[in-house]
Amino acid sequence: RTHKKIQSRIYVTKSIIFLGARLKQPEKCPAKVFTIMSSCWLLQPDDRPNFEKIVELLKKERSFFPK
């Protein structure tokens, strides 16, 4: 029974994601950083940035992070 509940939740989550639903931009999250985050949620895995690209993009936005 627990397995069916988990499978049902996974199905619902995947359906919501497929329809384009995503988390909203956190209040204190800079727009450029949120854009990077959003690129990680693209539907097709090949369209998402790899880890090296994410690091590269975040380094460009270094001013947004505390030292």
Side-chain angles (χ1 to χ4, degrees), residues 24-45:
K24 293 180 182 177
Q25 181 176 345
E27 188 176 310
K28 295 184 180 184
C29 179
K32 289 182 180 182
V33 173
F34 187 70
T35 298
I36 296 168
M37 291 170 50
S38 297
S39 71
C40 296
W41 302 333
L42 292 171
L43 194 57
Q44 297 300 320

PDB file of all heavy atoms in Angstrom, residues 24-45:
ATOM      1  N   LYS A  24       8.446  29.097  -7.279  1.00  0.00           N
ATOM      2  CA  LYS A  24       8.557  30.537  -7.509  1.00  0.00           C
ATOM      3  C   LYS A  24       9.934  31.008  -7.075  1.00  0.00           C
ATOM      4  O   LYS A  24      10.613  30.361  -6.280  1.00  0.00           O
ATOM      5  CB  LYS A  24       7.494  31.278  -6.711  1.00  0.00           C
ATOM      6  CG  LYS A  24       6.089  31.007  -7.187  1.00  0.00           C
ATOM      7  CD  LYS A  24       5.098  31.774  -6.357  1.00  0.00           C
ATOM      8  CE  LYS A  24       3.682  31.451  -6.826  1.00  0.00           C
ATOM      9  NZ  LYS A  24       2.683  32.131  -6.002  1.00  0.00           N
ATOM     10  N   GLN A  25      10.309  32.152  -7.589  1.00  0.00           N
ATOM     11  CA  GLN A  25      11.596  32.744  -7.223  1.00  0.00           C
ATOM     12  C   GLN A  25      11.550  33.158  -5.758  1.00  0.00           C
ATOM     13  O   GLN A  25      10.671  33.916  -5.351  1.00  0.00           O
ATOM     14  CB  GLN A  25      11.886  33.954  -8.098  1.00  0.00           C
ATOM     15  CG  GLN A  25      13.207  34.612  -7.794  1.00  0.00           C
ATOM     16  CD  GLN A  25      13.500  35.751  -8.757  1.00  0.00           C
ATOM     17  OE1 GLN A  25      12.872  35.872  -9.800  1.00  0.00           O
ATOM     18  NE2 GLN A  25      14.452  36.572  -8.401  1.00  0.00           N
ATOM     19  N   PRO A  26      12.486  32.654  -4.945  1.00  0.00           N
ATOM     20  CA  PRO A  26      12.529  33.076  -3.544  1.00  0.00           C
ATOM     21  C   PRO A  26      12.725  34.593  -3.448  1.00  0.00           C
ATOM     22  O   PRO A  26      13.370  35.210  -4.300  1.00  0.00           O
ATOM     23  CB  PRO A  26      13.739  32.333  -2.982  1.00  0.00           C
ATOM     24  CG  PRO A  26      13.895  31.140  -3.875  1.00  0.00           C
ATOM     25  CD  PRO A  26      13.491  31.629  -5.239  1.00  0.00           C
ATOM     26  N   GLU A  27      12.172  35.175  -2.425  1.00  0.00           N
ATOM     27  CA  GLU A  27      12.163  36.629  -2.254  1.00  0.00           C
ATOM     28  C   GLU A  27      13.552  37.260  -2.347  1.00  0.00           C
ATOM     29  O   GLU A  27      13.734  38.286  -2.974  1.00  0.00           O
ATOM     30  CB  GLU A  27      11.536  36.969  -0.902  1.00  0.00           C
ATOM     31  CG  GLU A  27      11.300  38.436  -0.690  1.00  0.00           C
ATOM     32  CD  GLU A  27      10.597  38.699   0.621  1.00  0.00           C
ATOM     33  OE1 GLU A  27       9.574  38.055   0.889  1.00  0.00           O
ATOM     34  OE2 GLU A  27      11.091  39.560   1.374  1.00  0.00           O
ATOM     35  N   LYS A  28      14.537  36.644  -1.741  1.00  0.00           N
ATOM     36  CA  LYS A  28      15.877  37.241  -1.708  1.00  0.00           C
ATOM     37  C   LYS A  28      16.825  36.656  -2.752  1.00  0.00           C
ATOM     38  O   LYS A  28      18.019  36.915  -2.722  1.00  0.00           O
ATOM     39  CB  LYS A  28      16.478  37.087  -0.312  1.00  0.00           C
ATOM     40  CG  LYS A  28      15.704  37.870   0.725  1.00  0.00           C
ATOM     41  CD  LYS A  28      16.353  37.794   2.068  1.00  0.00           C
ATOM     42  CE  LYS A  28      15.553  38.597   3.084  1.00  0.00           C
ATOM     43  NZ  LYS A  28      16.195  38.626   4.384  1.00  0.00           N
ATOM     44  N   CYS A  29      16.284  35.907  -3.675  1.00  0.00           N
ATOM     45  CA  CYS A  29      17.106  35.287  -4.715  1.00  0.00           C
ATOM     46  C   CYS A  29      17.230  36.241  -5.904  1.00  0.00           C
ATOM     47  O   CYS A  29      16.227  36.627  -6.506  1.00  0.00           O
ATOM     48  CB  CYS A  29      16.467  33.983  -5.166  1.00  0.00           C
ATOM     49  SG  CYS A  29      17.365  33.139  -6.466  1.00  0.00           S
ATOM     50  N   PRO A  30      18.464  36.613  -6.261  1.00  0.00           N
ATOM     51  CA  PRO A  30      18.654  37.494  -7.419  1.00  0.00           C
ATOM     52  C   PRO A  30      18.120  36.846  -8.702  1.00  0.00           C
ATOM     53  O   PRO A  30      18.194  35.632  -8.881  1.00  0.00           O
ATOM     54  CB  PRO A  30      20.169  37.673  -7.499  1.00  0.00           C
ATOM     55  CG  PRO A  30      20.666  37.313  -6.134  1.00  0.00           C
ATOM     56  CD  PRO A  30      19.727  36.279  -5.614  1.00  0.00           C
ATOM     57  N   ALA A  31      17.593  37.666  -9.576  1.00  0.00           N
ATOM     58  CA  ALA A  31      16.998  37.172 -10.827  1.00  0.00           C
ATOM     59  C   ALA A  31      17.982  36.330 -11.639  1.00  0.00           C
ATOM     60  O   ALA A  31      17.604  35.297 -12.200  1.00  0.00           O
ATOM     61  CB  ALA A  31      16.485  38.343 -11.657  1.00  0.00           C
ATOM     62  N   LYS A  32      19.234  36.756 -11.701  1.00  0.00           N
ATOM     63  CA  LYS A  32      20.222  36.008 -12.496  1.00  0.00           C
ATOM     64  C   LYS A  32      20.471  34.621 -11.906  1.00  0.00           C
ATOM     65  O   LYS A  32      20.631  33.650 -12.646  1.00  0.00           O
ATOM     66  CB  LYS A  32      21.524  36.790 -12.606  1.00  0.00           C
ATOM     67  CG  LYS A  32      21.400  38.013 -13.493  1.00  0.00           C
ATOM     68  CD  LYS A  32      22.710  38.736 -13.620  1.00  0.00           C
ATOM     69  CE  LYS A  32      22.585  39.963 -14.504  1.00  0.00           C
ATOM     70  NZ  LYS A  32      23.866  40.647 -14.679  1.00  0.00           N
ATOM     71  N   VAL A  33      20.496  34.533 -10.600  1.00  0.00           N
ATOM     72  CA  VAL A  33      20.695  33.233  -9.944  1.00  0.00           C
ATOM     73  C   VAL A  33      19.465  32.361 -10.164  1.00  0.00           C
ATOM     74  O   VAL A  33      19.578  31.160 -10.441  1.00  0.00           O
ATOM     75  CB  VAL A  33      21.006  33.406  -8.443  1.00  0.00           C
ATOM     76  CG1 VAL A  33      21.051  32.062  -7.730  1.00  0.00           C
ATOM     77  CG2 VAL A  33      22.323  34.151  -8.254  1.00  0.00           C
ATOM     78  N   PHE A  34      18.287  32.958 -10.094  1.00  0.00           N
ATOM     79  CA  PHE A  34      17.065  32.191 -10.337  1.00  0.00           C
ATOM     80  C   PHE A  34      17.007  31.677 -11.771  1.00  0.00           C
ATOM     81  O   PHE A  34      16.534  30.569 -12.024  1.00  0.00           O
ATOM     82  CB  PHE A  34      15.825  33.021 -10.008  1.00  0.00           C
ATOM     83  CG  PHE A  34      14.563  32.216 -10.076  1.00  0.00           C
ATOM     84  CD1 PHE A  34      14.303  31.238  -9.129  1.00  0.00           C
ATOM     85  CD2 PHE A  34      13.647  32.429 -11.086  1.00  0.00           C
ATOM     86  CE1 PHE A  34      13.145  30.479  -9.197  1.00  0.00           C
ATOM     87  CE2 PHE A  34      12.486  31.677 -11.163  1.00  0.00           C
ATOM     88  CZ  PHE A  34      12.236  30.704 -10.211  1.00  0.00           C
ATOM     89  N   THR A  35      17.521  32.447 -12.697  1.00  0.00           N
ATOM     90  CA  THR A  35      17.578  32.003 -14.094  1.00  0.00           C
ATOM     91  C   THR A  35      18.448  30.755 -14.214  1.00  0.00           C
ATOM     92  O   THR A  35      18.101  29.812 -14.931  1.00  0.00           O
ATOM     93  CB  THR A  35      18.115  33.132 -15.002  1.00  0.00           C
ATOM     94  OG1 THR A  35      17.217  34.236 -14.926  1.00  0.00           O
ATOM     95  CG2 THR A  35      18.255  32.682 -16.436  1.00  0.00           C
ATOM     96  N   ILE A  36      19.558  30.746 -13.502  1.00  0.00           N
ATOM     97  CA  ILE A  36      20.429  29.568 -13.500  1.00  0.00           C
ATOM     98  C   ILE A  36      19.681  28.381 -12.899  1.00  0.00           C
ATOM     99  O   ILE A  36      19.699  27.275 -13.450  1.00  0.00           O
ATOM    100  CB  ILE A  36      21.735  29.842 -12.720  1.00  0.00           C
ATOM    101  CG1 ILE A  36      22.544  30.937 -13.429  1.00  0.00           C
ATOM    102  CG2 ILE A  36      22.557  28.566 -12.556  1.00  0.00           C
ATOM    103  CD1 ILE A  36      23.694  31.486 -12.603  1.00  0.00           C
ATOM    104  N   MET A  37      19.020  28.614 -11.774  1.00  0.00           N
ATOM    105  CA  MET A  37      18.242  27.546 -11.136  1.00  0.00           C
ATOM    106  C   MET A  37      17.190  27.006 -12.098  1.00  0.00           C
ATOM    107  O   MET A  37      17.038  25.782 -12.237  1.00  0.00           O
ATOM    108  CB  MET A  37      17.554  28.077  -9.868  1.00  0.00           C
ATOM    109  CG  MET A  37      18.487  28.397  -8.746  1.00  0.00           C
ATOM    110  SD  MET A  37      17.693  29.288  -7.376  1.00  0.00           S
ATOM    111  CE  MET A  37      16.252  28.323  -7.030  1.00  0.00           C
ATOM    112  N   SER A  38      16.491  27.905 -12.746  1.00  0.00           N
ATOM    113  CA  SER A  38      15.420  27.508 -13.669  1.00  0.00           C
ATOM    114  C   SER A  38      15.947  26.664 -14.822  1.00  0.00           C
ATOM    115  O   SER A  38      15.273  25.753 -15.292  1.00  0.00           O
ATOM    116  CB  SER A  38      14.701  28.742 -14.215  1.00  0.00           C
ATOM    117  OG  SER A  38      14.083  29.446 -13.164  1.00  0.00           O
ATOM    118  N   SER A  39      17.156  26.969 -15.271  1.00  0.00           N
ATOM    119  CA  SER A  39      17.729  26.188 -16.372  1.00  0.00           C
ATOM    120  C   SER A  39      17.966  24.735 -15.952  1.00  0.00           C
ATOM    121  O   SER A  39      17.980  23.839 -16.789  1.00  0.00           O
ATOM    122  CB  SER A  39      19.017  26.826 -16.880  1.00  0.00           C
ATOM    123  OG  SER A  39      20.070  26.687 -15.946  1.00  0.00           O
ATOM    124  N   CYS A  40      18.111  24.507 -14.675  1.00  0.00           N
ATOM    125  CA  CYS A  40      18.304  23.147 -14.155  1.00  0.00           C
ATOM    126  C   CYS A  40      16.999  22.359 -14.140  1.00  0.00           C
ATOM    127  O   CYS A  40      17.012  21.139 -13.969  1.00  0.00           O
ATOM    128  CB  CYS A  40      18.882  23.191 -12.748  1.00  0.00           C
ATOM    129  SG  CYS A  40      20.521  23.919 -12.659  1.00  0.00           S
ATOM    130  N   TRP A  41      15.888  23.043 -14.304  1.00  0.00           N
ATOM    131  CA  TRP A  41      14.578  22.397 -14.268  1.00  0.00           C
ATOM    132  C   TRP A  41      13.996  22.173 -15.651  1.00  0.00           C
ATOM    133  O   TRP A  41      12.833  21.780 -15.786  1.00  0.00           O
ATOM    134  CB  TRP A  41      13.598  23.237 -13.454  1.00  0.00           C
ATOM    135  CG  TRP A  41      14.023  23.491 -12.053  1.00  0.00           C
ATOM    136  CD1 TRP A  41      14.836  22.717 -11.272  1.00  0.00           C
ATOM    137  CD2 TRP A  41      13.675  24.612 -11.244  1.00  0.00           C
ATOM    138  NE1 TRP A  41      15.000  23.285 -10.043  1.00  0.00           N
ATOM    139  CE2 TRP A  41      14.308  24.449  -9.987  1.00  0.00           C
ATOM    140  CE3 TRP A  41      12.889  25.734 -11.465  1.00  0.00           C
ATOM    141  CZ2 TRP A  41      14.168  25.367  -8.966  1.00  0.00           C
ATOM    142  CZ3 TRP A  41      12.750  26.650 -10.439  1.00  0.00           C
ATOM    143  CH2 TRP A  41      13.378  26.462  -9.210  1.00  0.00           C
ATOM    144  N   LEU A  42      14.770  22.428 -16.695  1.00  0.00           N
ATOM    145  CA  LEU A  42      14.261  22.201 -18.048  1.00  0.00           C
ATOM    146  C   LEU A  42      13.830  20.751 -18.197  1.00  0.00           C
ATOM    147  O   LEU A  42      14.440  19.840 -17.616  1.00  0.00           O
ATOM    148  CB  LEU A  42      15.315  22.576 -19.080  1.00  0.00           C
ATOM    149  CG  LEU A  42      15.635  24.068 -19.155  1.00  0.00           C
ATOM    150  CD1 LEU A  42      16.844  24.320 -20.053  1.00  0.00           C
ATOM    151  CD2 LEU A  42      14.424  24.856 -19.618  1.00  0.00           C
ATOM    152  N   LEU A  43      12.796  20.546 -18.964  1.00  0.00           N
ATOM    153  CA  LEU A  43      12.193  19.220 -19.087  1.00  0.00           C
ATOM    154  C   LEU A  43      13.154  18.179 -19.655  1.00  0.00           C
ATOM    155  O   LEU A  43      13.267  17.079 -19.131  1.00  0.00           O
ATOM    156  CB  LEU A  43      10.923  19.313 -19.942  1.00  0.00           C
ATOM    157  CG  LEU A  43       9.992  18.117 -19.902  1.00  0.00           C
ATOM    158  CD1 LEU A  43       9.556  17.805 -18.478  1.00  0.00           C
ATOM    159  CD2 LEU A  43       8.781  18.373 -20.776  1.00  0.00           C
ATOM    160  N   GLN A  44      13.871  18.544 -20.694  1.00  0.00           N
ATOM    161  CA  GLN A  44      14.788  17.599 -21.333  1.00  0.00           C
ATOM    162  C   GLN A  44      16.158  17.655 -20.662  1.00  0.00           C
ATOM    163  O   GLN A  44      16.776  18.725 -20.610  1.00  0.00           O
ATOM    164  CB  GLN A  44      14.933  17.916 -22.820  1.00  0.00           C
ATOM    165  CG  GLN A  44      13.654  17.774 -23.601  1.00  0.00           C
ATOM    166  CD  GLN A  44      13.096  16.368 -23.542  1.00  0.00           C
ATOM    167  OE1 GLN A  44      13.834  15.387 -23.610  1.00  0.00           O
ATOM    168  NE2 GLN A  44      11.793  16.258 -23.397  1.00  0.00           N
ATOM    169  N   PRO A  45      16.642  16.541 -20.158  1.00  0.00           N
ATOM    170  CA  PRO A  45      17.942  16.531 -19.474  1.00  0.00           C
ATOM    171  C   PRO A  45      19.082  17.110 -20.319  1.00  0.00           C
ATOM    172  O   PRO A  45      19.958  17.783 -19.786  1.00  0.00           O
ATOM    173  CB  PRO A  45      18.181  15.050 -19.182  1.00  0.00           C
ATOM    174  CG  PRO A  45      16.821  14.455 -19.125  1.00  0.00           C
ATOM    175  CD  PRO A  45      15.998  15.239 -20.134  1.00  0.00           C
TER     176      PRO A  45
END
